[in-house]
Amino acid sequence: LFIMDESGLFLFLKRSSGVVTCPSTWSILGEHSIANELAHDTVVRGMEEELGLKKQVSSLGTNDPSISADFQTMSNNSIHVAIQNITQYPLYYIRHYGPRLDNRIDSQLTYLWLARLPKRHDEIQIKLDDEVADHKWISLEEFSDWIEADARDHDKEEEEEHNLRHHGRKNDDGPPSGDFCHHTIRSLYAKGLDNLKLMI
């Protein structure tokens, strides 16, 4: 879920060093659906749980799959948030964690969404959860540069990773370094970036 404030800046969260999956890496807001939950309800719940907002009203828009939701902020102000799906179909990704996480394999279908806040981020009081060590708001251009730089850094590591795998190490999508959890997550963000450039 891409969170954009009124001035066009996007929220990125840095995961705590103490979490098991992808510690100390940067991400957008993410939430897993629970059984029988509609995708747009997952988005609204994610904003409640990850940003400390309290849902007042949510409704499907006339141009589905857009929705709108009214939230109460930590300072008890009400904000109206426009939310829209920016991927026509769910995106599939698979991640091999390798021996670092007991050879766990994570495969998911996911949509990418955009939530437009009606004010600048410094005018809205949010409360990030305990798994977040840091956060920042950046422009679409800064996000684009960041993704490209991280991809270049990963490309330099690929040959070394390839050699390690051929010397008996089990598959691990990595990367062991970099700002994002792994190249599959970065590719999802890059897809979102391409779509956002067409919309904003």
Side-chain angles (χ1 to χ4, degrees):
L1 172 60
F2 290 96
I3 305 290
M4 184 181 75
D5 75 355
E6 185 184 39
S7 60
L9 299 182
F10 291 83
L11 174 64
F12 281 84
L13 308 173
K14 186 174 186 180
R15 293 172 62 79
S16 162
S17 60
V19 297
V20 174
T21 305
C22 303
S24 302
T25 58
W26 288 88
S27 68
I28 58 176
L29 190 151
E31 190 63 60
H32 289 91
S33 294
I34 57 179
N36 302 317
E37 185 176 45
L38 297 176
H40 49 77
D41 290 330
T42 304
V43 171
V44 172
R45 179 171 58 83
M47 293 185 68
E48 289 187 285
E49 295 179 0
E50 302 293 332
L51 302 181
L53 302 175
K54 183 177 180 180
K55 182 187 74 172
Q56 296 175 315
V57 179
S58 65
S59 62
L60 286 172
T62 56
N63 185 24
D64 191 55
S66 298
I67 63 172
S68 63
D70 293 329
F71 293 94
Q72 180 178 317
T73 68
M74 296 297 297
S75 55
N76 294 322
N77 295 318
S78 293
I79 57 172
H80 182 78
V81 180
I83 305 169
Q84 65 186 114
N85 188 344
I86 65 171
T87 48
Q88 182 177 4
Y89 302 106
L91 304 174
Y92 174 74
Y93 78 87
I94 184 167
R95 164 81 198 272
H96 297 266
Y97 287 91
R100 288 182 289 174
L101 274 180
D102 297 323
N103 297 311
R104 171 181 154 194
I105 298 175
D106 185 9
S107 59
Q108 297 186 33
L109 286 172
T110 186
Y111 285 102
L112 295 175
W113 295 77
L114 170 65
R116 299 174 185 254
L117 302 180
K119 300 179 180 180
R120 297 195 314 269
H121 66 271
D122 55 3
E123 298 176 322
I124 299 174
Q125 186 178 357
I126 60 176
K127 183 180 185 300
L128 302 174
D129 72 19
D130 294 337
E131 292 186 352
V132 176
D134 199 1
H135 72 285
K136 61 183 176 181
W137 295 83
I138 61 174
S139 69
L140 202 61
E141 292 75 20
E142 290 171 315
F143 176 36
S144 179
D145 292 343
W146 190 12
I147 285 283
E148 291 178 7
D150 198 78
R152 286 194 300 270
D153 291 343
H154 177 68
D155 287 343
K156 294 176 183 177
E157 296 171 348
E158 279 191 336
E159 183 176 353
E160 179 182 350
E161 290 286 302
H162 178 78
N163 291 336
L164 286 171
R165 289 179 183 134
H166 278 272
H167 284 86
R169 199 184 78 169
K170 293 184 179 180
N171 191 33
D172 185 344
D173 283 347
S177 61
D179 288 332
F180 302 102
C181 181
H182 53 93
H183 66 83
T184 309
I185 287 290
R186 190 180 60 242
S187 69
L188 288 177
Y189 295 169
K191 175 61 177 175
L193 175 65
D194 289 341
N195 290 0
L196 288 169
K197 287 177 178 179
L198 298 174
M199 298 168 55
I200 298 172

